[in-house]
């Protein structure tokens, strides 16, 4: 075909392939639209499809591999945008705008597949400042706390420059997207550090007003009244009350449909769906327990039986190394709220003078032990990901429980000592800070009541004390 014929076909094909009449093919095994895209890509030379149309077809018609490959081949020919003065000029050069579109839509596809490394590589190619690239590198290395501080400083500096420029020249789209990226990265780092109150304040800011983020933070706090307000803001109509079991089934079905939309080769987006499925199962696990609680105070035996069943299920379902801290926090925060509900019900029974069936009283400690175990696992997950300060904050939350079983108390002491020793070994820790951390850990070992520990527990404590003394020398 001649160039004129290819341009003619391309001009007709894009409106046809992106038309809404083909939406019925979205869940087909081999959509015709994806076959068209594959055919145009294999022409020699290929029939060009714009980056926006390529991204749309790839996302909706199972053409992930071909769409990403097309955009990648175009992105390889694009030079880095770092410190490019043309990106802040208005109007943008059409060729430069097309290059930015290619990078933006390629990153959009990677983000949809939750491929953070590839998305970061594309953005580092598109980034206008060195600070943005540095923040990305910190996030990839897992230095979330350092990335948060660096991102906050960078975003403040960029916002100040944009405010100064606003009175002279309009702000370009490229610079605005750079700031939006820093803003999103800051929120993501804050989410991974589980600073939900900070996120709540950000979402309430009149310049942000993000109800989805506010809902997410409200669930963690927990503030269910605020969560209901966020839900009503998105769906203000009061319809008929839908049973919780049906809602769980509907969401499960929606996740199955979402799985089919993704490419057949497993990606991290599939892991995200599995995490969502896990949380739906977490909700489904407590439905029978909630029904038993709603019956009233005359159903103590059924409540205790359902509670033991739920705790047994949760004990066998824990996090994996590939899970993010935000998901792990959501899972254990949800369980903690259920445990608190059970403990409160036991107190209500005690105040009401209800006598529990024989053999049930010792089991009242189960939700407290399960809640403590959840906090210990959450702290361990934070330590495994290098978030030592967050691990210490999580361990300190154990003191908010009304009581703490001895086995959990011992494990808390051991994990606290491990975290302090890890902090002391960091290369960024000064000599004085190292000495303070080790002295603090030594005081913890000396304050422990070893007469309440078993022989094995004492051995573990003495091992930690010996390791601390060796670091002090």
């Amino acid at each position: 075909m001649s160039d004129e014929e290819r341009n003619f076909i391309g001009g007709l094909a894009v409106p046809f392939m992106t038309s809404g009449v083909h939406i019925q093919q979205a869940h087909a095994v081999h959509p015709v639209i994806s076959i068209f895209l594959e055919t145009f890509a294999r022409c020699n030379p290929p029939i060009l499809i714009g980056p926006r149309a390529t991204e749309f077809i790839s996302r909706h018609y199972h053409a992930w591999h071909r769409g990403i490959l097309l955009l990648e081949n175009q992105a390889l020919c694009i030079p880095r945008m770092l410190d490019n003065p043309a990106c802040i000029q208005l109007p943008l050069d059409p060729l430069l705008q097309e290059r930015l579109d290619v990078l933006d839509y390629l990153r959009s596809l990677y983000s949809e597949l939750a491929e953070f490394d590839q998305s970061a590589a594309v953005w580092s190619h598109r980034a206008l400042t060195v600070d943005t690239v540095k923040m990305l590198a910190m996030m990839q290395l897992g230095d979330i706390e350092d990335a948060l501080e660096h991102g906050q400083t960078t975003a403040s500096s960029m916002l100040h420059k944009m405010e100064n420029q606003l009175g002279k020249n309009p702000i370009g789209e490229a610079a605005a997207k750079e700031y939006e990226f820093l803003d999103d990265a800051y929120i993501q780092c804050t989410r991974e550090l589980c600073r939900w109150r900070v996120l709540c304040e950000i979402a309430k800011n009149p310049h942000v007003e993000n109800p989805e983020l506010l809902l997410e933070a409200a669930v963690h706090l927990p503030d269910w009244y605020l969560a209901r307000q966020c839900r009503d803001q998105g769906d203000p109509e009061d319809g008929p009350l839908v049973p919780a079991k049906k809602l769980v089934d509907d969401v499960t079905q929606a996740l199955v449909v979402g799985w089919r939309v993704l490419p057949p080769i497993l990606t991290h987006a599939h892991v995200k769906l599995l995490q969502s499925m896990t949380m739906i199962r977490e909700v489904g696990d407590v439905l029978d327990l909630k029904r038993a609680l709603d019956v009233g105070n005359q159903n103590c035996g059924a409540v205790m039986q359902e509670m033991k069943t739920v705790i047994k299920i949760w004990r066998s379902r824990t996090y994996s190394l590939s899970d993010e801290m935000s998901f792990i926090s959501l899972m254990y925060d949800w369980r903690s709220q259920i445990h608190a509900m059970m403990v409160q019900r036991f107190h209500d029974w005690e105040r009401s003078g209800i006598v529990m069936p024989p053999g049930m009283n010792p089991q009242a400690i189960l939700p407290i032990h399960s809640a403590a175990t959840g906090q210990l696992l959450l702290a361990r997950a934070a330590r495994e990901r290098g978030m030592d300060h967050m691990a210490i904050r999580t361990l300190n939350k154990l003191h908010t429980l009304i009581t703490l079983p001895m086995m959990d108390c011992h494990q808390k002491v051991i994990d606290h000592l491990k975290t302090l020793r890890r902090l002391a070994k960091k290369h960024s820790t000064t000599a004085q800070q190292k000495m303070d951390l080790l002295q603090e850990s030594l005081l913890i070992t000396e304050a422990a009541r070893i007469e309440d520990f078993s022989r094995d527990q004492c051995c573990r404590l003495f091992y930690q004390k010996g390791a601390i003394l060796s670091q002090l020398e």
Side-chain angles (χ1 to χ4, degrees), residues 87-342:
C87 293
I88 59 176
Q89 295 177 359
L90 288 178
L92 279 178
D93 180 72
L95 178 60
L96 180 60
Q97 182 64 59
E98 183 180 354
R99 290 175 173 177
L100 290 173
D101 289 342
V102 169
L103 296 176
D104 287 338
Y105 291 128
L106 177 58
R107 178 173 171 267
S108 175
L109 288 177
Y110 279 138
S111 299
E112 187 71 18
L113 296 177
E115 297 290 348
F116 179 73
D117 288 337
Q118 286 85 344
S119 176
V122 174
W123 186 265
S124 63
H125 207 73
R126 185 207 184 282
L128 304 181
T129 62
V130 178
D131 292 326
T132 307
V133 179
K134 185 176 180 181
M135 183 180 183
L136 267 175
M138 290 179 178
M139 293 176 66
Q140 286 182 279
L141 292 173
D143 298 332
I144 305 298
E145 295 178 348
D146 295 337
L148 181 68
E149 296 178 4
H150 182 76
Q152 187 174 10
T153 305
T154 303
S156 300
S157 176
M158 178 172 287
L159 182 61
H160 182 67
K161 292 180 181 178
M162 292 170 65
E163 289 175 347
N164 293 336
Q165 182 186 350
L166 187 60
K168 304 175 183 178
N169 299 309
I171 299 172
E173 182 182 358
K177 283 191 176 182
E178 187 93 357
Y179 179 77
E180 289 177 3
F181 169 79
L182 289 172
D183 193 30
D184 293 339
Y186 177 82
I187 291 176
Q188 180 61 28
C189 291
T190 309
R191 181 186 286 115
E192 288 303 307
L193 293 173
C194 301
R195 299 179 181 178
W196 303 111
R197 295 197 180 278
V198 176
L199 287 176
C200 188
E201 294 174 1
I202 293 174
K204 287 181 178 179
N205 191 298
H207 298 289
V208 179
E209 293 184 351
N210 190 338
E212 293 182 1
L213 181 62
L214 186 59
L215 174 61
E216 181 183 2
V219 171
H220 284 272
L221 287 177
D223 188 343
W224 289 104
Y225 177 74
L226 179 60
R228 177 170 294 183
Q229 285 183 321
C230 296
R231 185 205 64 181
D232 294 341
Q233 184 177 352
D235 186 13
E237 297 183 2
D238 293 331
L241 191 62
V242 182
K245 181 68 167 61
K246 185 178 185 306
L247 291 175
V248 169
D249 293 339
D250 291 345
V251 175
T252 302
Q253 186 61 34
L255 292 174
V256 172
V257 173
W259 183 282
R260 293 171 181 168
V261 171
L262 293 174
I265 300 176
L266 293 182
T267 64
H268 198 65
H270 293 84
V271 177
K272 292 283 189 181
L273 287 179
L274 291 176
Q275 291 174 349
S276 300
M277 186 70 76
T278 299
M279 286 311 306
I280 292 301
R281 291 308 313 150
E282 293 275 326
V283 175
D285 291 339
V286 300
L287 292 181
D288 292 337
L289 175 60
K290 184 65 170 61
R291 279 193 290 268
L293 289 171
D294 291 340
V295 171
N297 295 333
Q298 308 303 322
N299 201 23
C300 300
V303 170
M304 296 298 292
Q305 185 61 40
E306 292 295 341
M307 182 196 69
K308 289 193 295 182
T309 301
V310 170
I311 291 178
K312 184 178 180 180
I313 293 173
W314 286 352
R315 192 177 299 162
S316 62
R317 185 190 298 146
T318 183
Y319 67 90
S320 65
L321 292 177
S322 62
D323 292 331
E324 302 88 357
M325 275 305 302
S326 54
F327 167 73
I328 300 173
S329 173
L330 176 61
M331 183 168 65
Y332 287 111
D333 285 349
W334 163 255
R335 295 180 182 183
S336 178
Q337 294 175 43
I338 302 301
H339 296 141
M341 180 181 67
M342 289 303 307

Side-chain angles (χ1 to χ4, degrees), residues 299-418:
N299 201 23
C300 300
V303 170
M304 296 298 292
Q305 185 61 40
E306 292 295 341
M307 182 196 69
K308 289 193 295 182
T309 301
V310 170
I311 291 178
K312 184 178 180 180
I313 293 173
W314 286 352
R315 192 177 299 162
S316 62
R317 185 190 298 146
T318 183
Y319 67 90
S320 65
L321 292 177
S322 62
D323 292 331
E324 302 88 357
M325 275 305 302
S326 54
F327 167 73
I328 300 173
S329 173
L330 176 61
M331 183 168 65
Y332 287 111
D333 285 349
W334 163 255
R335 295 180 182 183
S336 178
Q337 294 175 43
I338 302 301
H339 296 141
M341 180 181 67
M342 289 303 307
V343 172
Q344 183 62 42
R345 180 55 61 96
F346 292 155
H347 287 175
D348 293 342
W349 288 347
E350 185 178 355
R351 285 195 296 267
S352 302
I354 296 177
V355 180
M356 298 180 65
M360 291 294 182
N361 275 327
Q363 297 178 6
I365 198 67
L366 275 178
I368 300 176
H369 170 59
S370 184
T373 303
Q375 287 295 314
L376 290 170
L377 288 173
L378 186 59
R380 184 177 302 172
R383 192 174 70 247
E384 289 171 350
R385 287 154 179 79
M387 304 175 186
D388 298 310
H389 294 288
M390 178 186 169
I392 292 178
R393 290 196 304 269
T394 304
L395 290 172
N396 289 336
K397 287 182 181 179
L398 287 169
H399 297 292
T400 62
L401 298 176
I402 58 174
T403 185
L404 193 62
M406 185 53 62
M407 65 180 74
D408 299 320
C409 181
H410 169 264
Q411 190 60 48
K412 187 265 179 187
V413 171
I414 297 299
D415 287 351
H416 201 158
L417 294 175
K418 288 181 178 179

